[in-house]
Amino acid sequence: MNTLRIRSTLLIVALALFFAMGCEGILDVRNPNNVLEEDLSNPVAAAGLANGALFTVSQGIGFVLAPYETVTDEVRWIGSRDAWGQLDNGIVGDVYNEFVDASWPYITEGRWMADKAVSLLKAFDGGGTLVNRLDLARAYAYQALVRTAIADMFDDFVFSDKTTTNPPIGEANMSSLYDQAIAALDAGLAIAQSGTTASHQEWERRILGLRARVKHSKDIWTKVNPKGTVPTNPYIASAGAVADAQAALAKMTGDYMWRLDYFTALTFNEFAWEVVGRSELALEAIPNDPVTGTADARMTAIANDFRDRTKYQDRYSPLTVVSAREMHLIIAESYLAAGNAAQCLAQLNTLRTLTGQTAYPLTFDAATALKHERRANLYLQGRRLSDMYRFGIQDARWLPNAEARTTPGSFFPITIQERRANPNVR
């Protein structure tokens, strides 16, 4: 991560503080461009640090999600840039792909900023100067979220510190990012559960839901790694994920979702821009619901909301990171993995009732139902490619020699700009 990116990150934090204080900066600066990294060691910067982490993590996820989704059967290339077409054809391993490469500085910036926020807020907390400990809980959640996104979408990665380079994590070690995410969420949950305010309760349900997702994602990672084969048993039974999902559901009301809000903070969502703004990408046709035989109403609603220019203009569409729907899916899959198809269907029908859908008949194939429900309810959330790999689903546009087709479990590599700048990467 270079110095220019760090300066932009510091500016983001400075602006968060600047505008939050009505242009009377609590760091006593007239121009937020003059904020230095050492100024962030002031405890009054705590909220700005957490907000800066949210801003950069959200932006990083939006950038990497655009190429990720293009590889899947959720999005297709309709524009003029050949590198999008390469991804649409299932070629995921090209270190020179310009759009994966363009996402690299943003997702690495988000990772760095989240870690910086946690480090500084922990120091404030330890010194008794942290005014609102939920700022630290938030930072832990953003730290976990960005690690999960990286582990879900990359085959390998590098955690460097500004101009100080580090070796790659290594493909075999990428699952350790899920462990780091879980540890961060454990720490954040303890803070959220230490209070009884509505904000504490909201962060408790968010963190519980995210921890369930992370535990489940780690088990999916083990199904598609080492890459190259489709697992004979693709289904996940994670006691830890189920326990967290049940605990989260107990605190969620109705069709609960935690979404990254790009519009309020005017945080650029590259994925939305490529679909809604530039029209380089388009959402694929909505598949039919297995029960009604018509286009799945839930996916249609998500697609319409994502493309709503009136609500989000052409670049600020939200992205869901935690939902009650996913909690039901985690629980349902655990029943299927245990051989209890009836309970799996019952849980999926609870989910369908929640979203206003007709229930599956009791004789319906539970595996088919689970696969469709994951596709419908996790639409545009960065889960689809792993599911395609583990369920043996291929996109018709994948070329015969593309990694997505020949080597299931293939995700993005460390890109060319990092390889050129980092002597540890070969």
Side-chain angles (χ1 to χ4, degrees), residues 3 67 102 132 141 144 147 156 170 188 194 201 208 258 305 383:
T3 303
N132 184 357
R147 277 168 165 72
D156 201 358
S194 68
Q201 293 169 2
L208 280 169
W258 170 23
D305 182 67
R383 313 286 204 283

Side-chain angles (χ1 to χ4, degrees), residues 19-333:
F19 290 115
M21 296 304 295
C23 300
E24 291 294 331
I26 54 179
L27 297 183
D28 295 324
V29 290
R30 295 296 179 184
N31 181 355
N33 288 280
N34 292 332
V35 174
L36 302 175
E37 185 172 349
E38 52 265 31
D39 292 320
L40 301 182
S41 62
N42 188 330
V44 297
L49 283 164
N51 290 339
L54 173 60
F55 185 102
T56 53
V57 168
S58 298
Q59 188 167 252
I61 289 174
F63 262 91
V64 75
L65 193 60
Y68 176 96
E69 287 288 345
T70 307
V71 182
T72 75
D73 58 4
E74 294 185 337
V75 171
R76 70 183 186 276
W77 171 53
I78 60 170
S80 60
R81 304 290 291 273
D82 288 343
W84 288 121
Q86 184 184 53
L87 294 164
D88 203 21
N89 291 149
I91 301 171
V92 297
D94 184 3
V95 301
Y96 293 96
N97 185 283
E98 64 174 303
F99 300 113
V100 183
D101 193 46
S103 75
W104 184 268
Y106 292 96
I107 195 68
T108 57
E109 180 183 39
R111 194 281 310 168
W112 184 89
M113 187 62 226
D115 287 359
K116 188 70 173 179
V118 167
S119 175
L120 291 171
L121 292 173
K122 281 179 64 179
F124 300 157
D125 194 38
T129 58
L130 183 61
V131 175
N132 184 357
R133 297 191 73 231
L134 278 179
D135 287 333
L136 177 54
R138 293 198 291 133
Y140 277 128
Y142 306 145
Q143 185 183 55
L145 180 59
V146 73
R147 277 168 165 72
T148 303
I150 291 168
D152 283 350
M153 299 187 206
F154 283 89
D155 270 342
D156 201 358
F157 210 78
V158 177
F159 283 9
S160 294
D161 186 7
K162 296 180 288 189
T163 58
T164 303
T165 60
N166 284 316
I169 294 168
E171 288 193 27
N173 301 318
M174 286 293 285
S175 67
S176 67
L177 299 189
Y178 296 116
D179 296 327
Q180 294 171 26
I182 292 167
L185 293 169
D186 290 345
L189 183 62
I191 296 172
Q193 291 178 332
S194 68
T196 59
T197 68
S199 294
H200 282 85
Q201 293 169 2
E202 173 62 13
W203 277 102
E204 182 180 6
R205 69 176 64 95
R206 288 183 179 186
I207 291 173
L208 280 169
L210 182 55
R211 195 170 68 177
R213 170 191 161 182
V214 174
K215 290 176 179 178
H216 195 261
S217 293
K218 181 183 177 182
D219 284 348
I220 291 177
W221 188 94
T222 66
K223 294 289 186 180
V224 299
N225 282 279
K227 61 188 176 184
T229 60
V230 176
T232 55
N233 176 14
Y235 305 112
I236 305 299
S238 169
V242 169
D244 281 345
Q246 291 171 332
L249 275 177
K251 299 179 180 300
M252 294 174 175
T253 302
D255 193 15
Y256 173 86
M257 297 179 188
W258 170 23
R259 304 204 295 178
L260 297 179
D261 177 5
Y262 290 80
F263 184 77
T264 301
L266 298 182
T267 309
F268 182 69
N269 182 347
E270 167 69 11
F271 180 34
W273 165 246
E274 295 295 345
V275 174
V276 185
R278 193 173 185 277
S279 297
E280 186 73 31
L281 307 175
L283 305 186
E284 271 286 16
I286 303 298
N288 287 344
D289 180 279
V291 178
T292 66
T294 58
D296 193 289
R298 296 160 298 183
M299 297 179 73
T300 299
I302 293 169
N304 289 343
D305 182 67
F306 188 80
R307 293 179 298 208
D308 192 333
R309 287 174 175 263
T310 301
K311 291 168 65 176
Y312 311 119
Q313 298 180 25
D314 60 4
R315 64 197 68 191
Y316 303 121
S317 306
L319 296 174
T320 300
V321 295
V322 167
S323 67
R325 300 184 189 189
E326 188 166 16
M327 302 303 103
H328 285 293
L329 290 168
I330 289 170
I331 296 167
E333 186 169 350

Side-chain angles (χ1 to χ4, degrees), residues 350-425:
T350 298
L351 169 57
R352 288 177 70 86
T353 298
L354 176 68
T355 57
Q357 310 302 305
T358 304
Y360 286 106
L362 298 180
T363 56
F364 199 90
D365 180 69
T368 300
L370 177 74
K371 291 171 187 175
H372 178 78
E373 291 302 308
R374 283 190 62 83
R375 184 177 187 183
N377 292 287
L378 302 179
Y379 182 46
L380 306 183
Q381 295 179 33
R383 313 286 204 283
R384 181 61 179 166
L385 190 54
S386 289
D387 276 0
M388 292 176 74
Y389 286 150
R390 67 178 173 131
F391 297 142
I393 300 168
Q394 297 185 344
D395 192 327
R397 288 187 300 277
W398 290 351
L399 296 177
N401 62 344
E403 297 95 339
R405 184 179 292 276
T406 64
T407 316
S410 296
F411 296 96
F412 297 137
I414 297 171
T415 66
I416 189 60
Q417 64 179 290
E418 181 69 25
R419 290 170 182 269
R420 287 171 171 162
N422 188 339
N424 300 296
V425 183

